[in-house]
Amino acid sequence: MSDTIIYTMIALSAIGILAAVILYLVAQKFKVYEDPRIDEVENALPGANCGGCGYAGCRAFAEACVKESELSSLFCPVGGNDCMGGVADILGLEAIAQDPKIAVVRCNGTCDHRPKTNQYDGATSCAVASSLYAGDTGCQFGCLGHGDCVAACDFDAIHMNQETGLPEVVDDKCVACGACVEACPKTLIELRKRGPKDRKIYVSCRNEDKGGVAKKSCEVACIGCSKCFKVCPFDAITMNNNLAFIDSDKCKLCRKCVVECPTNAIIEVGFPPRKVKTDLPPKPAIKKEVPKKAEGKSSEDIKPDNLEKK
Amino acid sequence: MSKLLTISPSPHVHTSDSVNKIMYRVLLALVPALAWSFFMFGFEAIRVTLIAVAACVAFEYLIQKFIMKEIPQITDGSAALTGILLAFNVPASLPTWMIIVGALVAIGVGKLSFGGLGNNPFNPALVGRVFLLISFPVHMTSWPVTQHAAVDALTTATPLALLKEGVKAGQPVSEIMTALPSNLNLLYGNMSGSLGEISAMFLLLGFGYMLWKKVITWHIPVFVLGTIFVFQGALWMLNPENFIEPLFHLLTGGAMLGAIFMATDMVTSPMTVKGQLIFGVGIGVITVLIRNFGAYPEGISFAILIMNGFTPLINAYIKPKRFGGTK
Amino acid sequence: MLKTFKLGGVHPAENKLSANKAIEKLALPKSVFIPVAQHIGAPAQALVKKGDQVKVGQLIAKSGGFVSANIHSSVSGKIKKVDLSMDSSGYPKQGFYIDVEDDEWEDGIDTSSELVENFEADSKTIIDKINAAGVVGLGGATFPTHVKLMPPQGMKAEVLLINGVECEPYLTSDHRVMLEKAEELLVGIRLLMCALQVNKAHIGIENNKPDAINHLNKLTASDSAIDVVPLKVKYPQGGEKQLIKAVTGREVPSGALPISVGAVVSNVGTALAVYDAVQKNKPLVERVVTVTGKSVAKPSNLLVRIGTPVQDLIDAAGGLPEDTGKVISGGPMMGKAISTTDIPVTKGTSGILILPKKEANREQMKNCIRCTRCVTVCPMGLEPYFLMTVSDKQIWEKAEGNNIMDCIECGSCSYTCPADRPLLDYIRLGKGKVGNIIRNRKN
């Protein structure tokens, strides 16, 4: 009996040793040299594999970093400057600091601002809806509200607001990877400079129709009147196809344009409330937390009227 | 405009068919065999069926609601169908708690762990049955005597088990056959076995109904049964002393139940006719191999589960004939 | 055994409510909007400007390229403005707003209803006349007809197929044309045969229109060059490739045009327009449109001028019903839902279908149970369930590899899916994306 045990043990050990030797030899033979820095760089990266850098995952980005001789064209939006500093240290290169960015939805066509002209009943996907037609409102540039951007976000940083029917970016969670920018078939989402204290001013509209047409389809559309363009002291605003655009790199957040806009298409976020001047019609300064409540109220107020009209 | 028009991509009309209708039609097709089992096994059959269905539906509801955090979809009839099929695959004497365990495995492991209806690679009812068969082999293979049998015993063996034991003992087939029920009895189901598998006739009735209502196509059952017939027939012709005639294998065990109701499960069978041919032939061959050469007297559940495993592969490689495709 | 195509197909409820309604002439509208792009290909170039006075049949926009078509004024009156207007999909399109004054036709157009049977024109003249008259495929695809009649180098048409299938449920405009304008239609067919230099034409008609089959059979009894082929009712038999397969048994290879098997397919409405263009010198300014729906008071077949607002047609059929949920331009399988009835009838409008509210909305989508029905009914032998998955997950290489571009968007898959999955929605999306990828690769 004990013989059997001993023979078995010897045989199995022999097989084990043999296999180990073979494995070692094969591993040596087919060894692929890999720059050890790739692993180091990869470890320094956030590991979100979001593709925000333009590469297929963090590993690919790390390989690209090691290959390049300078880091100017490479940036990890998720890790930001700290992370890129770490990468630069590993590689002995210089990190080029970039301003942190954030995704901004440039449409303010809420249910109140932009009356529906039809009822969409197809697959719940912005891509499908936009391949079918212009949208369920008079505005062919506006948000379709089916949440392709929400589905694209790996960071839970963008949500649909059921009341307004528009997506909202959670400032603290957004890492500016750009997935939502890619996902939006109406190219409504832009990566803008994250201003100090998350303050930002932007034209919340992409409507390129002529003023009258735009205004008719949406109350808060940019009508291309150029007033903001004229008032801007920093040349941050450009006019194109009946549409104003504020360059976030040039904008100094002076808020002059916000007051000037006749349709409230320019939105300021994150500022303390203004003192309301008595001689001017009150402009609702949209604060970060306020819009939900304010709009919630207004929509409730308006709804019964709408029903009566129907 | 006062009212808004609806916009959606074409087509704007839809057939009246739905998943629910398909499931309920399959359930309806099972009714004749179910009624026969009630007649044969009496109250015990009703107990097993009710418990299996109730447990499956309850587990589906609870798991979807509290673990998957989805809106429970128990009204689509698929959980009830799994319950009935599970009941059909166990002996009428199975203890209640075992049925509940089987239902949990069928629904929880076989179906919902893969994401629910449409995502399960294996037939859930068979997963439950095979789990029970392996875990509780004694309970799963002691068959209660039918109410109308003249034998004075509590349990008996199925025809397939009798055959297996006989062959193991070295008896020639012709000798064993004297102890087996006649083909006519096998056809209408006067034999012992799992709840739903005993009556070939009533299962065929359900098959006819499903064909009429276009719930399933004829392909898979015919491929499976045809293969069993041909393969067993070949063995029988080679050596009639060791192998029984093919008709016996068609009428006994779960051959009919498996071929008509389990192998045709849409989720786990291939999409194209060519794929279904491979699938059906595979099931037939494996069944005959297990029945003749394996340890178990019955093998169609294993055969179906094995071929279920091949289904994704078959779907990936067997493509339908394309219009204007290169020949 | 009646002929039909082999692969796939479905049979939706036919609902041909207006099959017995004779074609009525709709009263002239007060104003029309005529878009410059009513066909596949380049938009036409405007020839008139605001304030110009135009007559019926006057050329107001010139063909803008090889694949393009002339646009004629369908009414007489004054051009109010040349501006944008929303089309059925909500995007603005250029076109002419014309205020209607009287009904004065351009000189040289024969407006009588007298049958002109004889012609001595040669192929070139006929094609030129068709081109000048702006004739496009009236079945809905609106491909310029003169382009179809000029096969590419090295290819030769052998047979002409006339599509009288009308496999779309509800629509009856082609059916009525075959009954009421059969003589004209046959002359049109002979003209097309002459233009293509073929000596055989088949008229494919589904056998749910026995009156049309009999009528045409009687008229073609003495002519061995044209015959009527009754076909088994099956959707989408009106698809070019399916019709060719059903009638001739030939299979157009994947990615190729029908001409590659020597066939040219033309709709009956188109053949009638060809007759008007060549024999009557009359450009394409009016067409037959079916206005129908279960709750429509008077389902009818109307002869309307291009550019007439859809609302006028609906009014003529008894007004928009109370329970309207959806208005569709075209048939229920391939038509386009429209958001407003202010849009005009264009060359491609074959019908206006009004669906009640309870039929307008889709059911909630459920999990795919892999029942194989979409694969079984796909007339192109594709796997819709798979194409939907890869389109949703944006795996375009796999979509292309599984021949998503073969899809003819007939909608049989979505129609038949018991889990109410929007298969075609996603396949169409994928087709668009893959098409772009292929185009970019070529450039």
Side-chain angles (χ1 to χ4, degrees), chain B residues 1 3 5-15 17-19 22 115-120 214-215 266-267 270-272 315 319-325, chain C residues 7 251-254 322 325-326 328 332-333 335 339 361-362 367-373 380-381 383 385 402-403 406 411 414-418 420 425 428:
Chain B
M1 211 189 290
K3 45 190 175 180
L5 295 174
T6 303
I7 296 263
S8 66
S10 66
H12 305 287
V13 284
H14 192 266
T15 158
D17 225 347
S18 68
V19 172
I22 292 176
L117 181 63
N119 297 320
N120 47 305
K214 299 203 169 113
V215 178
M266 293 161 174
V267 181
M271 308 284 282
T272 57
N315 278 340
K319 293 287 172 191
K321 187 190 174 299
R322 205 149 55 80
F323 185 96
Chain C
L7 272 181
E251 204 164 294
V252 181
S254 166
E322 235 346 86
K326 202 188 251 179
I328 298 160
M333 293 300 283
S339 57
N361 287 315
R362 297 182 176 182
N367 276 0
C368 171
I369 56 164
R370 297 189 239 166
C371 65
T372 330
R373 275 169 212 200
M380 299 308 288
E383 291 172 290
Y385 77 100
N402 282 278
N403 307 296
D406 276 0
S414 295
Y415 168 81
T416 200
C417 179
D420 298 288
D425 293 14
R428 204 184 275 122

Coordinates of all heavy atoms in Angstrom, one line a residue, chain B residues 1 3 5-15 17-19 22 115-120 214-215 266-267 270-272 315 319-325, chain C residues 7 251-254 322 325-326 328 332-333 335 339 361-362 367-373 380-381 383 385 402-403 406 411 414-418 420 425 428:
Chain B
M1 N -51.3 73.2 -33.5 CA -52.2 72.1 -33.6 C -52.6 71.6 -32.2 O -51.9 71.7 -31.2 CB -51.5 70.9 -34.3 CG -52.5 70.1 -35.1 SD -51.7 68.7 -35.7 CE -50.6 69.4 -36.9
K3 N -53.7 68.6 -31.1 CA -53.1 67.4 -30.6 C -51.8 67.0 -31.4 O -51.8 67.3 -32.6 CB -54.1 66.2 -30.6 CG -54.9 66.2 -31.9 CD -56.0 65.2 -31.8 CE -56.9 65.3 -33.1 NZ -58.0 64.4 -33.1
L5 N -49.2 64.7 -33.3 CA -49.1 63.4 -34.0 C -47.9 62.6 -33.5 O -46.9 63.2 -33.0 CB -49.0 63.7 -35.5 CG -50.2 64.4 -36.1 CD1 -49.8 64.8 -37.6 CD2 -51.4 63.5 -36.1
T6 N -48.1 61.3 -33.6 CA -47.0 60.5 -33.2 C -46.1 60.2 -34.3 O -46.5 60.1 -35.5 CB -47.6 59.1 -32.7 OG1 -48.5 59.4 -31.7 CG2 -46.5 58.2 -32.2
I7 N -44.8 60.2 -34.0 CA -43.8 59.9 -35.1 C -43.0 58.7 -34.6 O -42.5 58.7 -33.5 CB -42.8 61.1 -35.2 CG1 -43.5 62.4 -35.7 CG2 -41.7 60.8 -36.1 CD1 -43.5 62.6 -37.1
S8 N -42.8 57.8 -35.5 CA -41.9 56.7 -35.2 C -41.4 56.2 -36.5 O -42.0 56.4 -37.6 CB -42.6 55.6 -34.4 OG -43.6 55.0 -35.2
P9 N -40.3 55.5 -36.5 CA -39.8 54.9 -37.7 C -40.7 53.8 -38.3 O -41.4 53.2 -37.5 CB -38.4 54.3 -37.4 CG -38.1 54.9 -36.0 CD -39.4 55.2 -35.4
S10 N -40.6 53.5 -39.5 CA -41.5 52.5 -40.1 C -40.9 51.1 -39.6 O -39.8 51.1 -39.2 CB -41.4 52.5 -41.6 OG -40.1 52.3 -42.1
P11 N -41.6 50.1 -39.6 CA -43.0 49.9 -40.0 C -44.0 50.4 -38.9 O -43.7 50.4 -37.8 CB -43.2 48.4 -40.2 CG -42.2 47.8 -39.3 CD -41.0 48.8 -39.3
H12 N -45.2 50.8 -39.4 CA -46.1 51.4 -38.4 C -47.2 50.4 -38.0 O -48.1 50.7 -37.3 CB -46.8 52.6 -39.1 CG -45.8 53.6 -39.5 ND1 -45.1 54.4 -38.7 CD2 -45.3 53.9 -40.8 CE1 -44.2 55.1 -39.3 NE2 -44.3 54.9 -40.6
V13 N -47.1 49.2 -38.6 CA -48.1 48.1 -38.1 C -47.3 47.0 -37.5 O -46.1 46.8 -37.8 CB -49.0 47.6 -39.3 CG1 -50.0 48.6 -39.6 CG2 -48.1 47.3 -40.5
H14 N -47.9 46.2 -36.7 CA -47.2 45.1 -36.0 C -48.1 43.9 -36.0 O -49.3 44.0 -35.8 CB -46.8 45.6 -34.6 CG -45.9 44.7 -34.0 ND1 -46.3 43.6 -33.1 CD2 -44.5 44.6 -34.0 CE1 -45.2 43.0 -32.7 NE2 -44.2 43.5 -33.3
T15 N -47.5 42.8 -36.1 CA -48.3 41.5 -36.0 C -48.9 41.4 -34.6 O -48.4 42.0 -33.6 CB -47.4 40.3 -36.2 OG1 -48.0 39.2 -35.6 CG2 -46.0 40.5 -35.6
D17 N -48.9 38.9 -32.8 CA -48.1 38.0 -32.0 C -47.3 38.7 -30.9 O -46.9 39.8 -31.1 CB -47.2 37.2 -32.9 CG -47.2 35.7 -32.6 OD1 -47.8 35.4 -31.6 OD2 -46.7 34.9 -33.4
S18 N -47.1 38.0 -29.8 CA -46.3 38.6 -28.8 C -45.6 37.4 -28.0 O -46.0 36.3 -28.1 CB -47.1 39.4 -27.8 OG -48.0 38.6 -27.1
V19 N -44.6 37.8 -27.2 CA -43.9 36.8 -26.4 C -44.9 36.1 -25.5 O -44.9 34.9 -25.3 CB -42.8 37.5 -25.6 CG1 -42.2 36.5 -24.6 CG2 -41.8 38.0 -26.5
I22 N -46.9 33.5 -27.2 CA -46.1 32.3 -27.5 C -46.0 31.4 -26.3 O -46.3 30.2 -26.3 CB -44.7 32.7 -28.0 CG1 -44.8 33.4 -29.4 CG2 -43.8 31.5 -28.0 CD1 -43.5 33.9 -29.9
G115 N -29.2 36.8 -16.8 CA -29.9 38.0 -17.2 C -31.3 37.9 -17.5 O -32.0 38.8 -18.0
G116 N -31.9 36.7 -17.3 CA -33.3 36.6 -17.5 C -33.7 36.1 -18.9 O -32.8 35.6 -19.6
L117 N -35.0 36.1 -19.2 CA -35.5 35.5 -20.4 C -34.8 36.0 -21.6 O -34.5 37.2 -21.8 CB -37.0 36.0 -20.5 CG -37.7 35.4 -21.8 CD1 -37.8 33.9 -21.7 CD2 -39.1 36.0 -21.9
G118 N -34.4 35.1 -22.4 CA -33.7 35.4 -23.6 C -32.2 35.4 -23.5 O -31.5 35.3 -24.6
N119 N -31.6 35.3 -22.3 CA -30.2 35.4 -22.2 C -29.6 34.1 -21.7 O -28.4 34.0 -21.6 CB -29.8 36.5 -21.2 CG -30.2 37.9 -21.8 OD1 -30.1 38.1 -23.0 ND2 -30.7 38.7 -20.9
N120 N -30.5 33.1 -21.3 CA -29.9 31.9 -20.7 C -29.4 31.0 -21.8 O -30.1 30.7 -22.7 CB -31.0 31.2 -19.9 CG -32.3 31.1 -20.6 OD1 -32.8 32.2 -21.1 ND2 -32.9 30.0 -20.8
K214 N -48.3 27.9 -35.3 CA -47.0 28.4 -35.7 C -46.1 28.9 -34.6 O -45.4 29.9 -34.7 CB -47.2 29.5 -36.7 CG -47.9 29.0 -38.0 CD -47.6 29.9 -39.2 CE -48.1 29.3 -40.4 NZ -49.1 30.1 -41.1
V215 N -46.2 28.3 -33.4 CA -45.4 28.6 -32.3 C -44.0 28.1 -32.6 O -43.0 28.8 -32.3 CB -45.9 28.0 -31.0 CG1 -45.0 28.4 -29.8 CG2 -47.3 28.6 -30.7
M266 N -36.9 28.3 -27.7 CA -36.4 29.2 -28.7 C -35.0 29.8 -28.3 O -34.1 30.0 -29.1 CB -37.4 30.4 -28.9 CG -38.6 29.9 -29.6 SD -39.9 31.1 -29.3 CE -41.1 30.4 -30.4
V267 N -35.0 30.1 -27.0 CA -33.8 30.9 -26.5 C -32.5 30.0 -26.7 O -31.5 30.6 -27.0 CB -34.0 31.2 -25.0 CG1 -32.8 32.0 -24.5 CG2 -35.3 32.0 -24.8
P270 N -30.6 26.8 -32.1 CA -30.1 27.7 -33.2 C -31.1 28.4 -34.0 O -32.3 28.0 -34.0 CB -29.3 26.6 -34.0 CG -29.1 25.5 -33.1 CD -30.2 25.4 -32.2
M271 N -30.7 29.4 -34.7 CA -31.6 30.2 -35.5 C -31.9 29.7 -36.8 O -33.0 29.9 -37.3 CB -31.0 31.6 -35.6 CG -30.5 32.3 -34.4 SD -31.8 32.9 -33.3 CE -32.3 34.4 -34.1
T272 N -31.0 29.1 -37.5 CA -31.2 28.7 -38.9 C -31.6 27.2 -39.0 O -31.3 26.5 -38.1 CB -29.9 28.9 -39.7 OG1 -28.9 28.2 -39.1 CG2 -29.6 30.4 -39.8
N315 N -24.8 29.2 -34.0 CA -25.3 30.5 -34.5 C -24.2 31.3 -35.1 O -24.5 32.1 -36.1 CB -26.0 31.3 -33.4 CG -27.4 30.8 -33.1 OD1 -28.0 30.2 -34.0 ND2 -27.9 31.1 -32.0
K319 N -24.8 30.6 -41.1 CA -25.6 31.8 -41.4 C -26.7 31.4 -42.3 O -26.6 30.5 -43.1 CB -24.6 32.8 -42.0 CG -23.6 33.4 -41.1 CD -24.2 34.3 -40.1 CE -23.3 34.7 -39.0 NZ -23.9 35.4 -37.9
P320 N -27.8 32.2 -42.3 CA -28.9 31.8 -43.2 C -28.5 32.1 -44.7 O -27.5 32.8 -44.9 CB -30.0 32.8 -42.8 CG -29.3 33.9 -42.0 CD -28.1 33.3 -41.4
K321 N -29.2 31.5 -45.6 CA -28.9 31.7 -47.0 C -29.3 33.1 -47.3 O -30.4 33.6 -47.1 CB -29.8 30.7 -47.8 CG -29.4 30.8 -49.3 CD -30.4 30.0 -50.1 CE -30.1 30.2 -51.6 NZ -30.2 31.6 -52.1
R322 N -28.3 33.8 -47.9 CA -28.5 35.2 -48.2 C -29.1 35.5 -49.6 O -28.6 34.8 -50.5 CB -27.2 35.9 -48.0 CG -27.3 37.4 -47.6 CD -26.0 37.7 -46.8 NE -24.8 37.4 -47.5 CZ -24.3 38.1 -48.4 NH1 -24.8 39.2 -48.8 NH2 -23.1 37.8 -49.0
F323 N -30.0 36.4 -49.7 CA -30.5 36.8 -51.0 C -29.3 37.4 -51.8 O -28.7 38.4 -51.4 CB -31.6 37.8 -50.9 CG -32.3 38.1 -52.2 CD1 -33.4 37.4 -52.6 CD2 -31.8 39.1 -53.1 CE1 -34.1 37.7 -53.8 CE2 -32.4 39.3 -54.3 CZ -33.5 38.6 -54.6
G324 N -29.1 36.9 -53.0 CA -28.0 37.4 -53.9 C -26.6 37.2 -53.3 O -25.7 37.9 -53.8
G325 N -26.5 36.3 -52.3 CA -25.2 36.1 -51.8 C -24.4 35.2 -52.8 O -25.0 34.5 -53.6
Chain C
L7 N -37.3 33.7 -50.4 CA -36.8 33.9 -49.0 C -37.8 34.9 -48.3 O -38.1 35.9 -48.7 CB -35.5 34.6 -49.1 CG -34.2 33.7 -49.1 CD1 -33.0 34.5 -49.1 CD2 -34.2 32.7 -47.9
E251 N -31.8 36.3 -59.5 CA -31.4 36.8 -58.2 C -30.4 37.9 -58.4 O -29.2 37.6 -58.9 CB -30.9 35.7 -57.3 CG -31.1 36.0 -55.8 CD -31.0 34.8 -55.0 OE1 -31.8 33.9 -55.1 OE2 -30.0 34.7 -54.2
V252 N -30.7 39.1 -58.1 CA -29.7 40.2 -58.2 C -28.7 40.0 -57.1 O -29.0 39.9 -55.9 CB -30.4 41.6 -57.9 CG1 -29.4 42.7 -58.1 CG2 -31.6 41.7 -58.9
P253 N -27.4 39.9 -57.5 CA -26.3 39.7 -56.5 C -26.3 40.8 -55.5 O -26.7 42.0 -55.8 CB -25.1 39.7 -57.3 CG -25.5 39.5 -58.7 CD -26.9 40.1 -58.9
S254 N -25.8 40.5 -54.3 CA -25.6 41.5 -53.2 C -24.8 42.7 -53.7 O -23.8 42.5 -54.3 CB -24.9 40.8 -52.1 OG -24.5 41.7 -51.2
E322 N -61.2 62.3 -35.4 CA -61.0 62.7 -34.1 C -59.9 61.9 -33.4 O -59.1 62.5 -32.7 CB -62.3 62.4 -33.3 CG -63.0 63.6 -32.5 CD -62.1 64.8 -32.3 OE1 -62.1 65.7 -33.2 OE2 -61.5 64.9 -31.2
G325 N -53.9 59.3 -34.5 CA -52.7 59.2 -33.7 C -51.5 59.5 -34.5 O -50.5 60.0 -34.1
K326 N -51.6 59.1 -35.8 CA -50.4 59.1 -36.6 C -50.8 59.4 -38.1 O -51.8 58.8 -38.5 CB -49.7 57.8 -36.5 CG -48.2 57.8 -36.9 CD -47.7 56.4 -36.9 CE -46.8 56.1 -35.8 NZ -46.3 54.7 -35.8
I328 N -49.3 59.1 -41.9 CA -48.1 58.5 -42.6 C -48.2 58.8 -44.0 O -49.2 58.8 -44.7 CB -48.1 56.9 -42.4 CG1 -48.0 56.6 -40.9 CG2 -47.0 56.3 -43.2 CD1 -48.5 55.2 -40.7
P332 N -48.1 51.6 -44.6 CA -47.8 51.4 -43.1 C -46.4 50.7 -42.9 O -45.9 50.7 -41.8 CB -48.9 50.5 -42.7 CG -49.4 49.9 -43.9 CD -49.2 50.8 -45.0
M333 N -45.9 50.0 -43.9 CA -44.7 49.2 -43.7 C -43.4 50.1 -43.9 O -42.5 49.9 -43.2 CB -44.6 48.0 -44.6 CG -45.7 46.9 -44.3 SD -45.6 46.2 -42.7 CE -44.2 45.1 -42.9
G335 N -43.7 53.6 -45.1 CA -44.0 55.0 -45.1 C -43.4 55.8 -44.0 O -42.9 55.2 -43.0
S339 N -45.1 64.9 -39.0 CA -45.5 65.6 -37.8 C -46.5 66.7 -38.0 O -47.1 67.2 -37.1 CB -44.3 66.2 -37.1 OG -43.6 67.1 -38.0
N361 N -49.2 53.7 -31.5 CA -48.1 53.6 -30.6 C -47.6 52.1 -30.5 O -48.4 51.2 -30.7 CB -48.4 54.0 -29.2 CG -48.5 55.5 -29.1 OD1 -47.7 56.2 -29.7 ND2 -49.6 56.0 -28.5
R362 N -46.3 52.0 -30.3 CA -45.7 50.7 -30.2 C -45.9 50.2 -28.8 O -46.0 50.9 -27.8 CB -44.2 50.8 -30.5 CG -44.0 51.2 -31.9 CD -42.5 51.2 -32.1 NE -42.2 51.6 -33.5 CZ -40.9 51.6 -33.9 NH1 -39.9 51.3 -33.1 NH2 -40.6 51.9 -35.1
N367 N -37.3 41.6 -23.9 CA -36.0 40.8 -24.2 C -36.2 40.0 -25.5 O -37.3 39.4 -25.7 CB -35.7 39.9 -23.1 CG -34.9 40.6 -22.0 OD1 -34.7 41.8 -22.1 ND2 -34.6 39.9 -21.0
C368 N -35.2 39.8 -26.3 CA -35.2 38.9 -27.4 C -35.2 37.5 -26.9 O -34.4 37.1 -26.1 CB -34.0 39.2 -28.3 SG -33.8 38.0 -29.6
I369 N -36.2 36.7 -27.4 CA -36.2 35.3 -27.0 C -35.7 34.4 -28.1 O -35.9 33.2 -28.1 CB -37.7 34.9 -26.6 CG1 -38.6 35.1 -27.8 CG2 -38.1 35.6 -25.4 CD1 -39.9 34.4 -27.6
R370 N -35.1 35.0 -29.1 CA -34.4 34.3 -30.2 C -35.4 33.3 -30.9 O -35.0 32.2 -31.1 CB -33.2 33.6 -29.7 CG -32.2 34.6 -29.2 CD -30.9 33.9 -28.9 NE -30.5 34.1 -27.5 CZ -29.5 33.5 -26.9 NH1 -28.9 32.6 -27.5 NH2 -29.2 33.7 -25.7
C371 N -36.5 33.8 -31.1 CA -37.5 32.9 -31.7 C -37.3 32.7 -33.2 O -38.0 31.9 -33.8 CB -38.9 33.5 -31.5 SG -39.2 35.1 -32.4
T372 N -36.3 33.4 -33.8 CA -35.9 33.2 -35.2 C -36.9 33.8 -36.2 O -36.7 33.7 -37.4 CB -35.8 31.7 -35.5 OG1 -35.4 31.0 -34.3 CG2 -34.8 31.4 -36.5
R373 N -38.0 34.5 -35.7 CA -38.9 34.9 -36.7 C -38.3 36.0 -37.6 O -38.6 36.0 -38.8 CB -40.2 35.5 -36.0 CG -41.0 34.3 -35.7 CD -42.2 34.6 -34.8 NE -42.4 33.3 -34.1 CZ -43.4 32.9 -33.5 NH1 -44.4 33.8 -33.4 NH2 -43.5 31.8 -32.9
M380 N -34.1 39.3 -47.4 CA -32.7 39.3 -47.9 C -31.8 38.3 -47.2 O -30.6 38.2 -47.5 CB -32.1 40.7 -47.7 CG -32.8 41.8 -48.4 SD -33.1 41.5 -50.1 CE -31.4 41.7 -50.8
G381 N -32.4 37.4 -46.4 CA -31.7 36.4 -45.7 C -30.6 36.9 -44.7 O -29.6 36.4 -44.5
E383 N -29.8 38.5 -40.6 CA -30.1 38.2 -39.3 C -30.4 39.4 -38.5 O -29.5 40.0 -37.8 CB -29.0 37.4 -38.6 CG -28.7 36.0 -39.2 CD -27.5 35.4 -38.6 OE1 -26.4 35.9 -39.0 OE2 -27.6 34.5 -37.9
Y385 N -31.9 40.3 -35.7 CA -31.6 40.3 -34.3 C -30.1 40.7 -34.0 O -29.8 41.4 -33.2 CB -32.0 39.0 -33.6 CG -31.0 37.9 -33.8 CD1 -30.1 37.6 -32.8 CD2 -31.0 37.2 -35.0 CE1 -29.2 36.6 -33.0 CE2 -30.0 36.2 -35.2 CZ -29.1 35.9 -34.2 OH -28.2 34.9 -34.4
N402 N -21.8 41.3 -41.7 CA -23.0 40.5 -41.8 C -24.0 41.2 -42.7 O -25.2 41.1 -42.6 CB -23.6 40.3 -40.4 CG -22.9 39.3 -39.6 OD1 -23.2 38.1 -39.8 ND2 -22.0 39.7 -38.8
N403 N -23.4 41.9 -43.7 CA -24.2 42.4 -44.8 C -25.3 43.4 -44.5 O -26.4 43.3 -45.0 CB -24.7 41.3 -45.7 CG -23.6 40.3 -46.0 OD1 -22.7 40.7 -46.8 ND2 -23.7 39.1 -45.5
D406 N -27.2 45.1 -47.3 CA -28.1 44.4 -48.1 C -29.6 44.7 -47.7 O -30.5 44.5 -48.5 CB -27.9 42.9 -48.0 CG -26.9 42.4 -49.0 OD1 -26.3 43.3 -49.7 OD2 -26.6 41.2 -49.0
G411 N -39.0 46.3 -43.3 CA -39.7 46.3 -42.0 C -40.3 45.0 -41.6 O -41.0 45.0 -40.6
S414 N -39.2 44.0 -37.9 CA -39.9 44.7 -36.8 C -41.4 44.4 -36.8 O -42.0 44.2 -35.7 CB -39.8 46.3 -37.0 OG -38.5 46.7 -36.9
Y415 N -42.0 44.2 -37.9 CA -43.4 43.8 -38.0 C -43.6 42.5 -37.2 O -44.6 42.4 -36.5 CB -43.8 43.7 -39.4 CG -45.2 43.0 -39.6 CD1 -46.4 43.8 -39.4 CD2 -45.3 41.7 -39.9 CE1 -47.6 43.2 -39.5 CE2 -46.6 41.1 -40.0 CZ -47.7 41.8 -39.8 OH -48.9 41.2 -39.9
T416 N -42.8 41.6 -37.4 CA -43.0 40.2 -37.0 C -42.5 39.9 -35.6 O -42.9 39.0 -35.0 CB -42.4 39.2 -38.0 OG1 -43.1 38.0 -37.8 CG2 -41.0 39.0 -37.8
C417 N -41.7 40.8 -35.0 CA -41.0 40.5 -33.7 C -42.0 40.4 -32.6 O -42.7 41.4 -32.3 CB -40.0 41.6 -33.4 SG -39.2 41.2 -31.8
P418 N -42.2 39.2 -32.0 CA -43.1 39.1 -30.9 C -42.7 39.9 -29.6 O -43.5 40.1 -28.8 CB -43.2 37.6 -30.6 CG -41.9 37.1 -31.1 CD -41.5 38.0 -32.2
D420 N -41.6 42.9 -29.7 CA -41.8 44.3 -30.1 C -40.4 45.0 -30.1 O -40.3 46.2 -29.6 CB -42.7 45.0 -29.1 CG -44.1 44.4 -29.2 OD1 -44.8 44.6 -30.2 OD2 -44.5 43.7 -28.2
D425 N -35.3 50.0 -36.7 CA -34.8 51.3 -36.2 C -33.2 51.3 -36.1 O -32.5 52.2 -36.6 CB -35.3 51.7 -34.8 CG -36.8 51.9 -34.8 OD1 -37.4 51.5 -35.8 OD2 -37.3 52.4 -33.8
R428 N -31.4 50.5 -39.5 CA -31.3 51.6 -40.4 C -30.2 52.6 -39.9 O -29.4 53.1 -40.7 CB -32.7 52.4 -40.3 CG -32.9 53.2 -41.6 CD -34.2 54.0 -41.5 NE -35.4 53.2 -41.9 CZ -36.4 53.0 -41.1 NH1 -36.4 53.4 -39.9 NH2 -37.4 52.3 -41.5

